[in-house]
Amino acid sequence: MSRARRTVRGYGTAVAFLAAAVLVSALVGAANLNPLATVTALLDRLPFVDLHSGLSPLDRAVLFQIRMPRIVLGALVGGLLSLAGAGYQGVFRNPLVDSGLLGASAGAGLGATIAIVYLGGAAGASVPVAAFVGSLVGVAVAYLTGAAGGPGTATLLLAGLAVGMFLTAIQTFVLQRSTQDIQQVYSWLLGSLAVADWHRVVEILPYTAVSTLIVLVHGRHLDVLSVGDEEAHTLGMRPGRVRLLVVAACALAAATAVAVSGLIGFVGIIVPHAVRRLAGTSYRTVLPLSLLYGAGFLVLADTVARTVLAPGELPIGVVTALIGSPVFIWILRTTRSVRT
């Protein structure tokens, strides 16, 4: 099979997976929707398509005002987390790296904790903003600290770990002084899409577009970085500038996702790793496929989270952790066996 046909088949499979995840999530829930009418109603929203679905006004409200905003937000969050994870792994040439490094998650957690504890009743509106700002500040401090320690990715990673631990310690200190808010903080830390609506979807679109575009256009540069900085210099590339741009875009992507969903772990590790197994190691392919598969994966994970304990709801971070933990251990074992 030619390379072009393999590429087309790879993208086709990813789009089909995402479409299937959206359809399953749209049909599953407390209200039973007619499958054929639901598919027709979704197709009717496409440009240049005019179909009559037959859904009742109540069913249309359930589909387009309750389920679809959550599905779209979940797809955006999953895509951003996976893309950020793949980008970080390309920059640091390490398949075990994700957006939890460089202080992104710890900064978001501290920002959300401060908003919940000190802003009281206004916290509902301020938590996403505080998490977004905290995530970007965490990455900036980690990057500046790593740059001051000298060149090299190892220094940057160690700086990210140190900054993350420091921010987590501050978060713990704040929580110990306000124990009545611990449950609310930990609910946010475990991740949820329960507050999804079209307003939140529109709110994150600009950040999603900018971060996604920057990361995707650097796929070829990440392929060059994978063979080493000296080779990249030889080819006329400036590795430091590329690394800074990609890290900044990945930090923006992760901060955008965390701001609207809380902390959802493992997506940025297991999805890019699975994509590399399916489609090879070129980042020109890994990045867009991680975006598509990550979107579909989180839509399915959220479907499980909101239905398995219905009418209650399981934090989505618990679902991704239950799936991601054994996969992560398997990645560790296979990576070690390859190196030995």
Side-chain angles (χ1 to χ4, degrees):
M1 183 182 293
S2 68
R3 181 176 178 180
R5 292 188 64 181
R6 287 200 303 271
T7 301
V8 171
R9 191 176 69 170
Y11 282 106
T13 304
V15 171
F17 172 73
L18 176 56
V22 169
L23 182 58
V24 168
S25 187
L27 291 174
V28 175
N32 292 321
L33 302 182
N34 181 284
L36 181 59
T38 301
V39 173
T40 306
L42 292 174
L43 292 175
D44 186 45
R45 292 300 179 102
L46 297 176
F48 312 112
V49 176
D50 185 16
L51 299 171
H52 176 67
S53 66
L55 280 180
S56 68
L58 179 60
D59 287 345
R60 291 183 68 84
V62 170
L63 178 61
F64 291 112
Q65 300 303 320
I66 298 177
R67 291 184 186 173
M68 285 309 296
R70 184 162 180 160
I71 291 171
V72 174
L73 193 66
L76 292 176
V77 168
L80 287 173
L81 291 175
S82 298
L83 184 70
Y88 281 133
Q89 290 161 20
V91 168
F92 298 116
R93 286 178 284 180
N94 188 326
L96 303 180
V97 174
D98 79 343
S99 55
L101 286 178
L102 296 177
S105 296
L110 177 59
T113 301
I114 290 175
I116 292 171
V117 172
Y118 293 113
L119 298 183
S126 60
V127 167
V129 177
F132 183 79
V133 173
S135 181
L136 293 182
V137 170
V139 172
V141 172
Y143 196 89
L144 292 174
T145 304
T153 57
T155 305
L156 192 55
L157 288 174
L158 290 174
L161 288 173
V163 170
M165 294 176 67
F166 179 72
L167 296 177
T168 302
I170 297 177
Q171 180 189 3
T172 304
F173 175 77
V174 172
L175 281 177
Q176 289 299 319
R177 291 177 58 84
S178 182
T179 54
Q180 70 272 18
D181 296 309
I182 284 180
Q183 183 175 359
Q184 187 178 356
V185 171
Y186 278 109
S187 295
W188 184 88
L189 292 177
L190 290 174
S192 175
L193 296 172
V195 295
D197 55 32
W198 288 119
H199 173 71
R200 288 185 185 271
V201 172
V202 173
E203 199 173 57
I204 70 170
L205 282 181
Y207 308 105
T208 301
V210 171
S211 57
T212 300
L213 180 63
I214 293 175
V215 176
L216 289 182
V217 299
H218 282 87
R220 184 176 65 84
H221 297 90
L222 293 180
D223 283 340
V224 176
L225 278 181
S226 67
V227 297
D229 285 8
E230 290 187 7
E231 289 78 2
H233 275 297
T234 304
L235 295 172
M237 202 179 85
R238 298 169 64 182
R241 182 179 178 183
V242 170
R243 195 169 282 121
L244 176 60
L245 270 174
V246 176
V247 167
C250 290
L252 179 61
T256 302
V258 168
V260 295
S261 66
L263 299 182
I264 300 175
F266 293 103
V267 179
I269 291 180
I270 62 176
V271 174
H273 189 81
V275 168
R276 273 191 289 271
R277 292 269 176 170
L278 291 172
T281 58
S282 171
Y283 282 93
R284 283 174 290 181
T285 305
V286 168
L287 292 174
L289 289 185
S290 294
L291 186 73
L292 293 170
Y293 277 112
F297 172 75
L298 202 68
V299 169
L300 291 177
D302 183 55
T303 304
V304 174
R306 66 179 171 80
T307 57
V308 70
L309 294 179
E313 189 167 309
L314 196 65
I316 191 171
V318 173
V319 178
T320 59
L322 287 173
I323 300 172
S325 297
V327 175
F328 183 73
I329 293 171
W330 173 71
I331 293 173
L332 276 176
R333 290 178 60 86
T334 55
T335 303
R336 182 181 177 184
S337 65
V338 169
R339 288 178 178 173
T340 55

